[in-house]
Amino acid sequence: MFDGIHKRVVSVWLPRLASDRALRVRAVDAAFALTLREGNTDRLYCLNAAAESVGLQRGMRFADARAFCPDLISQPARPELDARFLAALRQWAQRYCPWVAVDGSDGLVMDITGAAHLWGGEGALLDDLRARATRAGLSVRLGLADTRGAAWALAHYREGTAALGASQSALGALPVAALRLNKDVTIALQRLGLRTVGALATAARAPLARRFGREVLLRLDQALGDVPDPIAAPPDAPHYGLRLTLPDPIGLVSDVTAATERLLTRLCAKLHAQSMGARRLSLVLRRVDRGCLEVDLRLAAAMNDPARILPLFDRGITGLDAGFGIDQIRLVASVVEPLAPLQISHTVPARTGQLEDLITRLGTRIGLDNIQRFLPADSHIPERSFLVAPAAYSTAQGHWHSPRPRPLRLFAPEPINSTGSTPPRHFRWRRMALTAARITGPERIAPEWWLEDENWGRGLRDYWRVETHQGRRLWLFYTPQNPGWFVQGEFA
Amino acid sequence: MSYAELCATSNFTFLTGASHPEELVLRAAELGLAAIAITDRNSLAGVVRAYSALKTLATEQGAQQAEGLRIRSSTQIDASSRQATGDAQNLPVTKGLTLPKLIVGARLVLRDSAADWLALPTDRAAYQRLSRLLTLGKGRAAKGECHLDLADVLAGAQGMILIALPHRNLPHANLTQAARDVTRMQRQFPGHVFWGAAPRYDGTDQAHLTQCAAFALRTSAPMVALGDVLMHHANRRQLADVLTCLREGTTIDEIGTRALPNAERRLKPFTDMARLFRHHPAALRRTLEIAARCSFSLAELSYEYPDAEGAEAPQARLERLTAEGMARRCPLGIPPRYHQLAAKELSVVKDLGFAAYFLTVHDIVAFARGRGILCQGRGSAGNSILCWALGITDVNPDQIGMVFERFISRYRGEPPDIDVDFEHERREEVIQWIYARYGRHRAGLCATVIHFRSRAAIREVGKVMGLSQDVTAALSGQIWGLSGGGADPARVRELGLDPADRRLAQTLRLIAEIIGFPRHLSQHVGGFIVTRGRLDELCPIENAAMEGRTVIEWDKDDIDALGILKIDILSLGMLTCLRKSFDLLQQHNHQTLTLDTVPQEDEATYQMLQRADAVGVFQVESRAQMNFLPRMKPATFYDLVIEVAIVRPGPIQGGMVKPYIRRRQGLEAPEPFGPALSDVTRKTLGVPLFQEQAMQIAVVGAGYTPEEADKLRRSLASFRRMGTIGAHKDRFIKGMLANGYPHSTAEQCFSQIEGFAEYGFPESHAAAFAMLTYVSSWIKCHHPAVFACALLNSQPMGFYAPAQIVRDVRDHGIEVRPICTNHSDWDNRLERRADGALALRLGFRQIKGFRAEDAGWIVAARGNGYPDPESLWLRAGLTPAVLERLAEADAFATMGLTRRDGLWAVRAIRAPAPLPLFANPLDGEGINEPAVTLPPMHLGEEVVEDYISLRLTLRAHPMELLRPGIPGITPNDRLATAPLGRISVCGLVITRQRPGTASGVIFLTLEDETGVANVVVWPKLYERYRRAVMGGRLLRVTGRLEREGIVSHVIAERIEDLSPRLSELGHPLDAAIGITQPQADDAPRPPRSRAAPSARHPREQAKKLFPSRDFH
């Protein structure tokens, strides 16, 4: 018989996790449901209390639900975000006890053995948990018992607490579904008249095992505490941070750099071993007068090579005021990304990373977000055929493929004085008198009708390429629906 | 100087072309083009529409009053009345157009060529080759696709003009590749190959044209100007982009450069083309030369009906068979009237050369008869004395008044129309026989063009335009029940949407525009084309989605337009049921009957119908019909004909029912409209009901010629919309006045015909249906057990579920015996009882998810019976899953096992992971295990389990068990006698209907253990009790009881959803234990009021347990 510390397990069931999460983003004071596409039909995935009270259920076809409740507000469900949210909740719940694991897609399980007294007893712990969850807009159902299975059963089927050693009596009246059995087995048991856990527990075990396999008995034993059912909390995320305490304060740049290098070498070794790269590093220097200095370094690409990172700290370190000296240094990689080791080969040139280094170097001066690059975009409209993105957070995309010639420089349309639907022979642009030499076109581009674009208020445009005797090659357009001539770009 | 457009893609290149063929043709005429070629991608599906449009335009030009050009895709044909319904779009036509010439062609997209090829046949032979070429490509591919290679074209494109259209945006190397293909083609077909050049307004047009000219010179394939048209008008660009999105499965915001950059791929007038091709005028002129060379017209497709084999000429054979048939039908001598009629019909058939058609139908019917497949013909030509004599139909000429003009009109130039219904389970045999007999190259099914209708249009366009699913669902919710029109702005505002919002307004406009667009081809329900020559030379044939079927590209209307004959091979569940009934009668009563030997005009049968005792009877079993029967009191065959025709949406909406009933009941004198018309309208008491009557009124009353009358009938559908009603009205009323009718009578007559427009029903159809109605009610009346057994064995069909059929047969005093492994077969069967009566033994087919094969094994290995479930497993070789189904169905009862014991025993066989010791048992060598006493099943549980497994129960109706707990309700059988006034009824919902004719009124049928109650829910009340009405399975309705004749209604005032009570049946112990369901709220509640609307049985919701037929 078990005679160690008696386990106490809390099962937290978030019955409306998905809809609560969606409603936290934007509250809705009406029947609300999330829908998920299964096969070819949309089905209700999760719904709020208002929707349940008008008689909608999970798994119902969305079309039926609309017919039942015409003003149902809905959104497509995002199960992957729900899973992330649940993982975040798990971390939060570690405030109560260290052993917290995710249970299914909508629950947590916590081993609070020996932790309850810190919160003033089990009741107080549950009250606190419930109050905080409710304040965060989550509906929550809690069960507390000696075993994981019993706690789960209580949370799902009769919210409450089973006193120490009272699992069996607490579970006896619950339906067999409370044993975490799969649906087919549950139904089969119910059809045979074995409706409750109590009935199942008193039935002959051998015939049951023959008919339902060992799963049923295993779950039963787990719930009653006869078979262990441990909670496996996932390990904490690795921490990439190091500290160096100095016996004597230092103040020279070279000393600080040397200290940083020592830390960086060790940190990079750790990153390297785990195939990670730092994207953001911060160096925190504590002065003897308790002042704190911080050097923040954002990298344009994930890196774990100390030789390349160290020079990037130079600028930050040189500008520091060491005061009476620095006696503690901490280096933390606050943002890391996976960085797979590179296959060394003769054919593929090694990644030099010179561009990333340059971007980082420039970024430390003018801000990483201010360095941008052009990306191709998919549109006929010249103004929308490219995107501008921060260089550090985007990758260059393939080649620029355009079926039609596009000018190298594109600017806002500048009107020129001319009439007629063919390009003018002589015109003035930017106070220059120009004479057309060679004209090609027109290329007719109509506005994207699904967007409202005031730049295109003049309707469709006929673009012409005009080479001038003066040497400039311009991109002109004419708007036939609202006659006028404009220059919009210049070819190289 | 003019121009001919040789490349126009219509919307029959599905999800690509953005204009109807009709629109293209009309626009071409307006622009004054010399010719237009409809060239769809590997298809000829749209050409007939263009051809018909051109024909209509030609007649419109000559007509005094333009009726407009109807876009055929925008109309729907109502299957039963054969009338066009829906909001047809009519294009306004202006006068004085010069019509373009139509060139039939296709755009061949090959798998291995850098260019598309426009194939324009120059003569009939070339057309036939094109059709065969496309058939070849389609035969290789799945439905809707066509796999052709350059080699196929090289082998089979003689006589066609071939224009290469190199893909744009090709690098130069591929253009060279295209040139190589052109050279090969040019070598094979010298003088027929051209290089096509199409401007696009993309800034490189002139360069492109110059390049094309250079290649044309090099390949010696002259350059020809093309428009590569995708739309008839620039404003279709938006729709073209939406279609692109649908095709590519993307949304408009992500379409990017796949959108059209401009609207230049439209039909253009000569002046525009001349400007674009100013440096290449010859390319423009060449279009006219090519158009002149393409002399083929669809009118040349002479269609030949297959001759019967043998030396006998078709007409002679027809005459001989008719004479033989009449002699067989009338053993006591043929009345002279029959002789006259037959002679008249035969002479028309002879003049029009349709003898072979009748013979083909005769052959098919003869084949079916030979195989013992029941069949019956109907249709305008179906109820003729010819067809009666040939055995195609069993309705004899005396039973209905035949209108000769409706048979075949000499003027109409329309082929005769015969539909033949076969047993639904055996129709495939007939179809495969037709394929086998005529060959796949000579026989094919007609296509049906599937169009965007409003629901699909809203959903799909809404998705493309990025509307959220809420909005699209609400939009289509607003048009619930309608299927023709688009979204109405007023109703959009009701939804809280702003119709002025730009994106929404665009979406709504696009939805309206796309409605009526063809989407894909599907197969017609049974229209067969059979030809003497090769069918694939008439029209391309493609594989259908269904195994073993081949389909032509044209639909029924296209075929009509070209005067091609088709035979409809349809299926009808009731014929299966009747054949099974006849078989059972033969087997158990030794009584041989066929459709025509069932005793006619049987008194008892009509009395049964007058009592509305019509569950399962063909056509008159619906709620509305049952309601109507006691008022109508049918007493003779023609009454049934009227009954079938009158209780339909059209006549109800047209207000025909009330006057008819009043006259029938003698409350109102019939209005025959004078002595001359009384002949026409007497039979229907002065209420015109049939299309034939409308025509005759016009002929007799208003002095129309039969030809004009037929035209009037056809234009009835477009009457109101087109405002052409005035002309017809004047003509009609003048005619009636001239014949001496008072003005008021004329007005009245016309308004009746006018109201008639949308629902006229052909009398011949009604008669054919009424025949089956009579036969089925005769069997039901005299052999109820036989009828119920046959009906159950023919499921799914008809209006009622097996539960109602079983219940009905038990009400008629027939014993129904449960399913039993030792007595049942797959089919339900009849067993002779000790007292000589027949009892119905339910068969394994009633078990949900059971397979006929397993039933076969059970029967085959039964021997002297099975002692226990295990022996079934070992002897019949059933899988444990099947055994479990049997246990669920309580089929082990004769072995002394209750359902629960049976499940327990079977469960041991089907362990999910058998423990090693039990893995291989031997027969009879069971394992001793501790006895387990399972709690016995409550009656409620048994009932629920019965419903789960069989969807019916023989034990007790759920209401019987629930009644004690629901105070103050009246059993349904007392409704007929209960005092009028407030009353409560309660029952399972078996049907919900919202007929389009009843302006939002919902009819519910509630069933309890004593009978059914009809409940009427007014729209206002529906809004209040929406959820209960829509979703409730068990309802308590409080309201006023009303009675008309023997029909009682409850007009609902209060509706309660008692569905949660049903869960009390399945879980009798739950309430006592006080389990809170996971679905319930977290607040603990008293167990009784656990009104979770989820009447959930573990396996299924009550919804599926107690199925109802909703809004079908």
Side-chain angles (χ1 to χ4, degrees), chain B residues 726-750:
Chain B
H728 276 292
K729 190 168 182 177
D730 288 351
R731 161 86 178 81
F732 187 89
I733 288 181
K734 265 190 207 139
M736 287 207 55
L737 290 178
N739 281 355
Y741 290 95
H743 194 269
S744 59
T745 311
E747 284 273 357
Q748 215 175 340
C749 251
F750 189 77

CSV table of all heavy atoms in Angstrom, one decimal, chain B residues 726-750:
chain,number,residue,atom,x,y,z
B,726,GLY,N,-49.7,42.7,-73.8
B,726,GLY,CA,-50.7,43.6,-74.4
B,726,GLY,C,-51.1,43.1,-75.8
B,726,GLY,O,-52.3,42.9,-76.1
B,727,ALA,N,-50.2,42.8,-76.6
B,727,ALA,CA,-50.5,42.3,-78.0
B,727,ALA,C,-51.3,41.0,-78.0
B,727,ALA,O,-52.3,40.9,-78.7
B,727,ALA,CB,-49.2,42.1,-78.7
B,728,HIS,N,-50.8,40.1,-77.1
B,728,HIS,CA,-51.6,38.8,-77.1
B,728,HIS,C,-53.0,39.0,-76.6
B,728,HIS,O,-53.9,38.4,-77.0
B,728,HIS,CB,-50.8,37.9,-76.1
B,728,HIS,CG,-49.7,37.1,-76.8
B,728,HIS,ND1,-50.0,36.2,-77.8
B,728,HIS,CD2,-48.4,37.2,-76.7
B,728,HIS,CE1,-48.8,35.7,-78.2
B,728,HIS,NE2,-47.8,36.3,-77.6
B,729,LYS,N,-53.1,39.9,-75.6
B,729,LYS,CA,-54.4,40.2,-75.0
B,729,LYS,C,-55.4,40.7,-76.0
B,729,LYS,O,-56.5,40.3,-76.2
B,729,LYS,CB,-54.2,41.1,-73.8
B,729,LYS,CG,-55.5,41.2,-73.0
B,729,LYS,CD,-55.2,41.9,-71.7
B,729,LYS,CE,-56.4,41.9,-70.8
B,729,LYS,NZ,-56.2,42.6,-69.5
B,730,ASP,N,-54.9,41.7,-76.7
B,730,ASP,CA,-55.7,42.3,-77.8
B,730,ASP,C,-56.2,41.3,-78.8
B,730,ASP,O,-57.4,41.2,-79.0
B,730,ASP,CB,-55.0,43.4,-78.5
B,730,ASP,CG,-54.8,44.7,-77.7
B,730,ASP,OD1,-55.4,44.7,-76.6
B,730,ASP,OD2,-54.0,45.6,-78.0
B,731,ARG,N,-55.2,40.5,-79.2
B,731,ARG,CA,-55.5,39.5,-80.2
B,731,ARG,C,-56.6,38.5,-79.7
B,731,ARG,O,-57.5,38.2,-80.3
B,731,ARG,CB,-54.2,38.8,-80.6
B,731,ARG,CG,-54.3,37.5,-81.2
B,731,ARG,CD,-54.5,37.6,-82.7
B,731,ARG,NE,-54.5,36.3,-83.4
B,731,ARG,CZ,-55.6,35.6,-83.5
B,731,ARG,NH1,-56.7,36.0,-82.9
B,731,ARG,NH2,-55.6,34.4,-84.1
B,732,PHE,N,-56.4,38.1,-78.4
B,732,PHE,CA,-57.2,37.1,-77.8
B,732,PHE,C,-58.6,37.6,-77.6
B,732,PHE,O,-59.6,37.0,-78.0
B,732,PHE,CB,-56.6,36.7,-76.5
B,732,PHE,CG,-57.3,35.5,-75.8
B,732,PHE,CD1,-56.9,34.3,-76.1
B,732,PHE,CD2,-58.4,35.7,-75.0
B,732,PHE,CE1,-57.5,33.2,-75.5
B,732,PHE,CE2,-59.0,34.7,-74.4
B,732,PHE,CZ,-58.5,33.4,-74.6
B,733,ILE,N,-58.7,38.9,-77.1
B,733,ILE,CA,-60.0,39.4,-76.7
B,733,ILE,C,-60.8,39.7,-78.0
B,733,ILE,O,-62.0,39.4,-78.1
B,733,ILE,CB,-59.9,40.6,-75.8
B,733,ILE,CG1,-59.5,40.1,-74.4
B,733,ILE,CG2,-61.2,41.4,-75.7
B,733,ILE,CD1,-59.3,41.1,-73.4
B,734,LYS,N,-60.1,40.3,-79.0
B,734,LYS,CA,-60.7,40.5,-80.3
B,734,LYS,C,-61.3,39.2,-80.9
B,734,LYS,O,-62.4,39.2,-81.3
B,734,LYS,CB,-59.7,41.1,-81.3
B,734,LYS,CG,-59.8,42.6,-81.3
B,734,LYS,CD,-59.0,43.2,-82.4
B,734,LYS,CE,-58.5,44.6,-82.1
B,734,LYS,NZ,-57.1,44.8,-82.5
B,735,GLY,N,-60.5,38.2,-80.8
B,735,GLY,CA,-60.9,36.9,-81.3
B,735,GLY,C,-62.2,36.4,-80.6
B,735,GLY,O,-63.1,35.9,-81.2
B,736,MET,N,-62.2,36.5,-79.3
B,736,MET,CA,-63.4,36.1,-78.5
B,736,MET,C,-64.6,36.9,-78.8
B,736,MET,O,-65.7,36.4,-78.9
B,736,MET,CB,-63.1,36.0,-77.0
B,736,MET,CG,-62.1,34.9,-76.7
B,736,MET,SD,-62.2,34.2,-75.1
B,736,MET,CE,-63.8,33.7,-74.8
B,737,LEU,N,-64.4,38.2,-78.9
B,737,LEU,CA,-65.5,39.1,-79.2
B,737,LEU,C,-66.1,38.7,-80.6
B,737,LEU,O,-67.3,38.6,-80.8
B,737,LEU,CB,-65.1,40.6,-79.2
B,737,LEU,CG,-64.8,41.1,-77.8
B,737,LEU,CD1,-64.3,42.6,-78.0
B,737,LEU,CD2,-66.0,41.0,-76.9
B,738,ALA,N,-65.2,38.4,-81.5
B,738,ALA,CA,-65.6,38.1,-82.9
B,738,ALA,C,-66.4,36.8,-82.8
B,738,ALA,O,-67.3,36.6,-83.7
B,738,ALA,CB,-64.4,37.9,-83.8
B,739,ASN,N,-66.1,35.9,-81.9
B,739,ASN,CA,-66.9,34.7,-81.8
B,739,ASN,C,-68.1,34.8,-81.0
B,739,ASN,O,-68.8,33.9,-80.6
B,739,ASN,CB,-66.0,33.6,-81.2
B,739,ASN,CG,-65.1,33.0,-82.3
B,739,ASN,OD1,-65.2,33.4,-83.5
B,739,ASN,ND2,-64.2,32.1,-81.9
B,740,GLY,N,-68.5,36.1,-80.6
B,740,GLY,CA,-69.7,36.3,-80.0
B,740,GLY,C,-69.7,36.2,-78.5
B,740,GLY,O,-70.8,36.0,-77.8
B,741,TYR,N,-68.5,36.2,-77.8
B,741,TYR,CA,-68.5,36.2,-76.4
B,741,TYR,C,-68.6,37.6,-75.8
B,741,TYR,O,-68.0,38.5,-76.4
B,741,TYR,CB,-67.2,35.5,-75.9
B,741,TYR,CG,-67.2,34.0,-76.2
B,741,TYR,CD1,-66.5,33.6,-77.4
B,741,TYR,CD2,-67.8,33.1,-75.4
B,741,TYR,CE1,-66.5,32.2,-77.7
B,741,TYR,CE2,-67.8,31.8,-75.6
B,741,TYR,CZ,-67.1,31.3,-76.8
B,741,TYR,OH,-67.1,30.0,-77.1
B,742,PRO,N,-69.2,37.7,-74.7
B,742,PRO,CA,-69.2,39.1,-74.1
B,742,PRO,C,-67.8,39.5,-73.6
B,742,PRO,O,-67.0,38.6,-73.4
B,742,PRO,CB,-70.2,38.9,-72.9
B,742,PRO,CG,-70.3,37.5,-72.6
B,742,PRO,CD,-70.0,36.8,-73.9
B,743,HIS,N,-67.6,40.7,-73.5
B,743,HIS,CA,-66.2,41.2,-73.2
B,743,HIS,C,-65.8,40.7,-71.8
B,743,HIS,O,-64.6,40.3,-71.7
B,743,HIS,CB,-66.2,42.8,-73.2
B,743,HIS,CG,-64.9,43.3,-73.2
B,743,HIS,ND1,-64.2,43.6,-72.1
B,743,HIS,CD2,-64.0,43.6,-74.2
B,743,HIS,CE1,-63.0,44.1,-72.4
B,743,HIS,NE2,-62.9,44.1,-73.7
B,744,SER,N,-66.7,40.6,-70.9
B,744,SER,CA,-66.3,40.2,-69.5
B,744,SER,C,-65.8,38.8,-69.6
B,744,SER,O,-64.8,38.4,-68.9
B,744,SER,CB,-67.5,40.3,-68.6
B,744,SER,OG,-68.5,39.6,-69.0
B,745,THR,N,-66.5,37.9,-70.3
B,745,THR,CA,-66.0,36.5,-70.4
B,745,THR,C,-64.6,36.4,-71.0
B,745,THR,O,-63.8,35.7,-70.6
B,745,THR,CB,-67.0,35.7,-71.3
B,745,THR,OG1,-68.3,36.0,-70.9
B,745,THR,CG2,-66.7,34.2,-71.2
B,746,ALA,N,-64.5,37.2,-72.1
B,746,ALA,CA,-63.1,37.2,-72.7
B,746,ALA,C,-62.1,37.6,-71.7
B,746,ALA,O,-61.0,37.0,-71.7
B,746,ALA,CB,-63.2,38.2,-73.9
B,747,GLU,N,-62.3,38.7,-71.0
B,747,GLU,CA,-61.3,39.2,-70.0
B,747,GLU,C,-61.0,38.1,-69.0
B,747,GLU,O,-59.9,37.8,-68.7
B,747,GLU,CB,-61.9,40.4,-69.3
B,747,GLU,CG,-61.9,41.7,-70.0
B,747,GLU,CD,-60.6,42.4,-69.9
B,747,GLU,OE1,-59.7,41.9,-69.2
B,747,GLU,OE2,-60.4,43.5,-70.6
B,748,GLN,N,-62.1,37.4,-68.5
B,748,GLN,CA,-61.9,36.4,-67.5
B,748,GLN,C,-61.1,35.2,-68.0
B,748,GLN,O,-60.2,34.7,-67.4
B,748,GLN,CB,-63.3,36.0,-67.1
B,748,GLN,CG,-63.5,35.6,-65.7
B,748,GLN,CD,-64.9,35.3,-65.3
B,748,GLN,OE1,-65.8,35.6,-66.1
B,748,GLN,NE2,-65.1,34.6,-64.2
B,749,CYS,N,-61.5,34.8,-69.2
B,749,CYS,CA,-60.8,33.7,-69.9
B,749,CYS,C,-59.3,34.0,-70.0
B,749,CYS,O,-58.5,33.2,-69.7
B,749,CYS,CB,-61.3,33.5,-71.3
B,749,CYS,SG,-62.3,32.1,-71.5
B,750,PHE,N,-59.0,35.3,-70.4
B,750,PHE,CA,-57.6,35.6,-70.7
B,750,PHE,C,-56.9,35.6,-69.4
B,750,PHE,O,-55.8,35.2,-69.3
B,750,PHE,CB,-57.5,36.9,-71.4
B,750,PHE,CG,-56.1,37.2,-71.8
B,750,PHE,CD1,-55.6,36.5,-72.9
B,750,PHE,CD2,-55.3,38.0,-71.1
B,750,PHE,CE1,-54.3,36.7,-73.3
B,750,PHE,CE2,-54.0,38.2,-71.5
B,750,PHE,CZ,-53.5,37.6,-72.6
